[in-house]
Amino acid sequence: MTIRYLVVAMRRPDFDEAVVAPHLAFLDDLRARGQLAMTGGFADRSGGAYVLENVADLAHAQAIVAADPLVTSGSSDITVHEWNTRQGSAG
């Protein structure tokens, strides 16, 4: 079992598209540091999610997410979940 952190971002009604580029740059930095496993937007454009890995604990994951432009701009509601993942498992 591997512990990862699932970050769910839901757009607020006053979401500003201008925050997308800084958010993507933030994700690129996480990827370069080996802390981003995957990312993607929801098909209905209501938000998206990303998965952090190689992070010490939930508090560290929350601190990383606090610097996300989606958070600092107040444009999205963000939740961070500690996620126990298993390779090849549907559960």
Side-chain angles (χ1 to χ4, degrees):
M1 184 173 356
T2 303
I3 297 175
R4 292 189 173 99
Y5 299 90
L6 174 63
V7 182
V8 179
M10 299 304 297
R11 292 180 173 193
R12 292 186 175 166
D14 59 347
F15 183 83
D16 183 358
E17 292 286 336
V19 77
V20 172
H23 167 68
L24 294 176
F26 170 81
L27 294 176
D28 287 343
D29 181 60
L30 290 176
R31 186 176 292 108
R33 291 188 287 156
Q35 293 181 305
L36 185 67
M38 66 177 60
T39 183
F42 300 143
D44 65 1
R45 299 187 44 81
S46 62
Y50 55 96
V51 178
L52 297 175
E53 61 185 1
N54 302 317
V55 175
D57 55 32
L58 179 59
H60 190 189
Q62 291 168 328
I64 290 169
V65 172
D68 186 332
L70 294 178
V71 173
T72 60
S73 70
S75 65
S76 295
D77 293 317
I78 308 286
T79 55
V80 182
H81 303 274
E82 187 171 299
W83 193 19
N84 299 321
T85 61
R86 291 177 286 194
Q87 187 67 22
S89 172

